[in-house]
């Protein structure tokens, strides 16, 4: 059973508007969340993260919101640019002994239309 | 130069062949990982290593083996390749002070 779910396989947004990508999780032990961006023929690159002690983290045009009670996080991109077109993966981790592993969602393909 | 490199970038092989995918990193990280990605799915962890003497199975290790030759090198082997191992394979590294993982460019493997 998937512990991290991205229910929207794709999203199209007009340039300059807001992109909102969503992610749900089921494991209440997850305490650290990350977003990765992936372009074709490249590996995923780290975008932004948030600890469970926060409900918001902002970095330039990118903001991640965490709602622990709903087990939901979202990534907001404002304003969206054509270069933001990529697959976005949500990932979550929990501390298990000395180890931390990432559990990934299935990804959302964002297309920003000029 | 890329911090995490993978060779080969593309590989086509036949069922039953043994193949090795290689990963090298210049980030100086102790922790290294191998993932596979299938269409419509997220990245699934195959194996991970926290140092040269520490190798751990991930969620989908069956049919795979790994070797950590040095801090900078982590290889993934398919002992006897089968068609459902056709996938994108990614290597990653991380610093124990951070949960952020840094990925290589991937190897596209096709098993006929």
């Amino acid at each position: 059973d998937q512990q991290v779910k991205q229910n929207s396989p794709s999203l199209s947004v007009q340039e300059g508007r807001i992109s909102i990508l969503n992610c749900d999780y089921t494991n209440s032990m997850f305490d650290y969340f990350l977003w990765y961006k992936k372009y074709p023929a490249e590996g995923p690159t780290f975008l932004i993260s948030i600890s469970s002690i926060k409900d918001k983290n902002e970095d330039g045009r990118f903001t991640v919101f965490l709602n622990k009670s709903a087990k939901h996080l979202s990534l907001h991109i404002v304003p969206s640019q054509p270069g933001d077109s990529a697959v976005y993966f949500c990932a979550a981790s929990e501390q298990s002994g000395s180890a931390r592993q990432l559990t990934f969602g299935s990804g959302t393909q964002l297309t920003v239309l000029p | 130069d890329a911090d995490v490199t993978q060779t080969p970038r593309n590989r086509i092989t036949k069922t039953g062949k043994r193949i090795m995918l290689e990963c090298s990193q210049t980030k100086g990280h102790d922790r290294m990982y191998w993932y596979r990605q299938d269409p419509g799915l997220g990245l699934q962890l195959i194996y991970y290593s926290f140092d040269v003497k520490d190798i751990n199975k991930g969620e989908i290790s069956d049919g795979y083996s790994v070797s950590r030759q040095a801090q900078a090198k982590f290889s993934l082997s398919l002992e006897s390749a089968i068609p459902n191992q056709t996938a994108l394979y990614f290597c990653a590294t991380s610093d124990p002070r951070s949960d952020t993982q840094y990925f290589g460019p991937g190897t596209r493997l096709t098993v006929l």
Side-chain angles (χ1 to χ4, degrees):
Chain A
D1 192 26
Q2 281 188 294
Q3 296 187 68
V4 178
K5 296 182 181 179
Q6 294 177 256
N7 292 317
S8 297
S10 63
L11 173 69
S12 291
V13 172
Q14 208 67 38
E15 181 179 5
R17 304 295 292 270
I18 185 171
S19 295
I20 300 176
L21 295 95
N22 294 302
C23 179
D24 296 295
Y25 62 95
T26 56
N27 186 344
S28 58
M29 299 302 292
F30 286 146
D31 60 359
Y32 190 68
F33 305 88
L34 307 89
W35 284 94
Y36 282 82
K37 179 168 73 173
K38 183 183 177 305
Y39 292 118
E42 296 182 11
T45 55
F46 170 72
L47 188 58
I48 192 169
S49 63
I50 187 167
S51 165
S52 61
I53 62 173
K54 295 185 175 181
D55 55 18
K56 176 182 174 181
N57 189 27
E58 190 172 354
D59 183 2
R61 296 185 297 113
F62 303 92
T63 303
V64 55
F65 295 92
L66 176 63
N67 182 333
K68 290 187 290 294
S69 61
K71 294 190 178 67
H72 176 83
L73 67 155
S74 61
L75 175 68
H76 292 209
I77 306 173
V78 183
S80 301
Q81 300 174 352
D84 296 329
S85 297
V87 177
Y88 289 78
F89 291 100
C90 167
S93 75
E94 62 174 304
Q95 186 75 35
S96 177
S98 63
R100 271 190 175 273
Q101 297 177 29
L102 294 183
T103 302
F104 286 85
S106 55
T108 296
Q109 171 71 57
L110 173 65
T111 302
V112 180
L113 305 168
Chain B
D1 285 341
D3 295 318
V4 184
T5 57
Q6 293 183 232
T7 56
R9 293 295 312 276
N10 289 284
R11 178 75 183 268
I12 300 173
T13 191
K14 293 183 178 180
T15 297
K17 295 291 187 182
R18 182 180 190 275
I19 68 161
M20 179 182 289
L21 309 182
E22 300 191 4
C23 176
S24 295
Q25 54 112 347
T26 58
K27 297 186 77 68
H29 290 166
D30 288 325
R31 299 183 174 189
M32 297 187 74
Y33 310 80
W34 275 104
Y35 291 89
R36 68 176 275 176
Q37 184 195 4
D38 296 280
L41 297 179
L43 283 73
Q44 296 175 277
L45 183 63
I46 307 173
Y47 270 95
Y48 61 101
S49 168
F50 285 173
D51 65 40
V52 175
K53 298 180 181 179
D54 180 72
I55 303 288
N56 303 279
K57 292 182 177 181
E59 54 189 309
I60 56 163
S61 59
D62 287 349
Y64 301 95
S65 62
V66 291
S67 173
R68 185 80 184 266
Q69 302 94 322
Q71 185 204 39
K73 296 184 182 296
F74 192 35
S75 300
L76 175 72
S77 294
L78 283 67
E79 301 302 325
S80 178
I82 56 177
N84 76 1
Q85 291 178 311
T86 294
L88 266 174
Y89 289 84
F90 291 102
C91 173
T93 74
S94 72
D95 186 323
R97 296 169 296 178
S98 164
D99 293 316
T100 302
Q101 294 184 16
Y102 299 89
F103 287 82
T107 295
R108 182 172 295 279
L109 175 67
T110 302
V111 183
L112 302 176

